[in-house]
């Protein structure tokens, strides 16, 4: 099958969040399947252009209209490509090459509409007629629409898939954007109009052959206003499917992770305790204690449940535990957590930075990993934590609910500790259950951690589900 993937980020080229991880792993996994040919399209951002490690070759260039604008489109391809997976970069100095930003510019709507249209023009120019055009999040949403509106006669059999990784960002613009920038046939105005404005995600939801999101629970949650950021009505009418993400177990692997001083596996867990000792030394935590380390590696945003953590922090400190927080974000949380660290030297370490190697050492050295998110489409950190033998304590929402089944001490089933409603006392309750098992049932605790390490979180399973979906679509 010929599959074209379109996204605004993919590790290791550019990554700001979980989407970058997914776009690194999923296309590669699909390319491993016999008979598939995959190509991935990304903007040629300045930071990619200037990275000497990323070698590209020129493919072609042409000019393209975006409403009344004539824009240059350059196509570059990654040189060290695999036969079945080609990575293409869309080059335009004005939109991507001359600025440092990935997201957050005043003209993001125009930049990503340009990108999505250029991808269709690029597919046409290299004559890659996809069976499946798979667009991710609002930045690629217009791909679905341009494919139908302008390339219908060139690729009438192409089926379009639109995946929502985060419904919060939808690509809103003023109504004039339709005429001034998008330059689409009149028939598409209705699809793109929402609440008196233009909403690109809404357009893709309506026009795509299928809409997917990154877990089953989140797919059903998206039917409710609490989660859907106003798109619940539109999503209730769509064919919406949930496929839970995996993790790249070649990247996230405690047996080989170069950031760890002691590599370890489910069969030889001893290395994990060595990493715990190292982590304490590195972060200045007391070493003369048997306390569990509770950790969080996260954007410090209310959305991630940091408000719950701050609310219970003083009571948490009455427990015999150590706390490690890594991440940056909203100032109020940065201040509150730094204060907590100052008040509890040797017990609390707060590192206000984004540092993937430190993150690895935290996943390896901690005993418990907290993710009290308000909502979570899938969440990847809890999967990484489990893969590193760190037991998750999570809010039972979205992908967290699907991947962290509550532990049952009687049947020994389940993977971690969960709480149902977004409430700080319930969160503390879940922590207490975990801490209690850690202190009073250490063998049981260790087998739970070991069991979590053995779960298969690789991309093979979700990739097979996507294939099933693609096949069903193609045969329709
Ligand atoms: C977004 C979501 C996160 C998900 C990721 C990859 O970042 O917030 O839950 O894991 O996308 O799909």
């Amino acid at each position: 099958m010929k599959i074209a993937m379109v996204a605004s980020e993919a590790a290791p080229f550019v990554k700001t969040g979980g989407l970058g991880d997914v776009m690194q792993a999923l296309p590669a996994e699909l390319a491993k399947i016999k008979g598939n040919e995959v190509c991935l399209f990304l903007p040629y951002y300045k930071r990619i252009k200037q990275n000497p490690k990323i070698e590209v070759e020129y493919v072609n260039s042409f000019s393209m209209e975006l409403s009344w604008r004539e824009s240059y489109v350059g196509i570059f391809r990654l040189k060290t490509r695999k036969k079945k997976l080609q990575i293409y970069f869309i080059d335009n100095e004005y939109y991507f090459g001359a600025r440092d930003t990935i997201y957050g510019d005043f003209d993001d709507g125009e930049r990503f509409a340009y990108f999505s249209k250029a991808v269709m023009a690029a597919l046409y120019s290299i004559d890659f007629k996809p069976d499946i055009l798979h667009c991710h999040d609002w930045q690629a949403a217009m791909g679905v629409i341009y494919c139908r509106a302008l390339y219908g006669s060139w690729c009438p059999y192409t089926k379009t898939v639109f995946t929502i990784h985060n419904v919060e960002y939808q690509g809103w613009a003023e109504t004039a954007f339709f005429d001034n920038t998008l330059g689409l046939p009149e028939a598409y105005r209705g699809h793109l109009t929402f609440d008196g404005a233009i909403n690109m995600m809404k357009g893709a939801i309506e026009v795509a052959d299928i809409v997917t999101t990154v877990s089953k629970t989140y797919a059903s949650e998206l039917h409710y206003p609490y989660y859907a950021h106003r798109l619940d009505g539109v999503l209730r009418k769509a064919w919406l499917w949930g496929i839970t993400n995996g993790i790249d177990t070649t990247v996230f692997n405690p047996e080989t992770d170069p950031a760890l001083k002691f590599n370890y596996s489910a069969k030889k867990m001893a290395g994990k305790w060595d990493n715990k000792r190292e982590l304490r030394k590195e972060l200045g935590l007391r070493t003369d204690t048997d306390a569990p380390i509770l950790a969080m590696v996260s954007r410090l945003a209310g959305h991630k449940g940091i408000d719950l953590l701050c609310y219970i922090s003083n009571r948490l400190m009455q427990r015999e535990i150590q706390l490690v927080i890594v991440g940056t974000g909203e100032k109020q949380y940065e201040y509150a957590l730094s204060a907590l660290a100052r008040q509890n030297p040797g017990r609390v370490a707060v590192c206000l930075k984004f540092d993937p190697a430190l993150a690895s050492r935290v996943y390896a050295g901690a005993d418990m990993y907290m993710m009290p998110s308000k909502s979570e489409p899938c969440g990847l950190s809890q999967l990484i934590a489990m893969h590193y033998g760190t037991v998750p304590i999570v809010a039972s929402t979205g992908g967290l609910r699907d991947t962290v089944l509550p532990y049952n001490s009687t049947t020994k089933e389940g993977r971690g500790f969960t709480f149902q409603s977004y409430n700080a006392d319930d969160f503390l309750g879940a922590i207490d259950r975990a801490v209690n098992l850690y202190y009073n049932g250490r063998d049981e605790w260790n087998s739970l951690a070991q069991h979590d390490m053995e779960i298969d979180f690789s991309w093979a399973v979700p990739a097979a589900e996507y294939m099933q979906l693609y096949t069903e679509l193609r045969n329709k």
Side-chain angles (χ1 to χ4, degrees), residues 18-19 22 165-166 214 245 304 376-380:
L19 174 65
V22 173
H165 296 261
N166 191 340
V214 287
N245 290 330
K304 292 287 182 189
E376 195 61 73
C378 177
L380 301 172

Side-chain angles (χ1 to χ4, degrees), residues 91-131:
D91 180 37
N92 180 292
E93 198 62 8
Y94 171 67
Y95 288 124
F96 302 115
R99 33 180 134 181
D100 295 317
T101 17
I102 306 296
Y103 309 124
D105 271 350
F106 74 98
D107 58 347
D108 273 9
E110 183 181 321
R111 294 168 71 213
F112 290 106
Y114 159 85
F115 167 63
S116 305
K117 190 172 185 189
V119 168
M120 282 315 299
L123 284 170
Y124 180 78
S125 81
I126 59 172
D127 200 29
F128 186 95
K129 211 175 275 193
D131 296 292

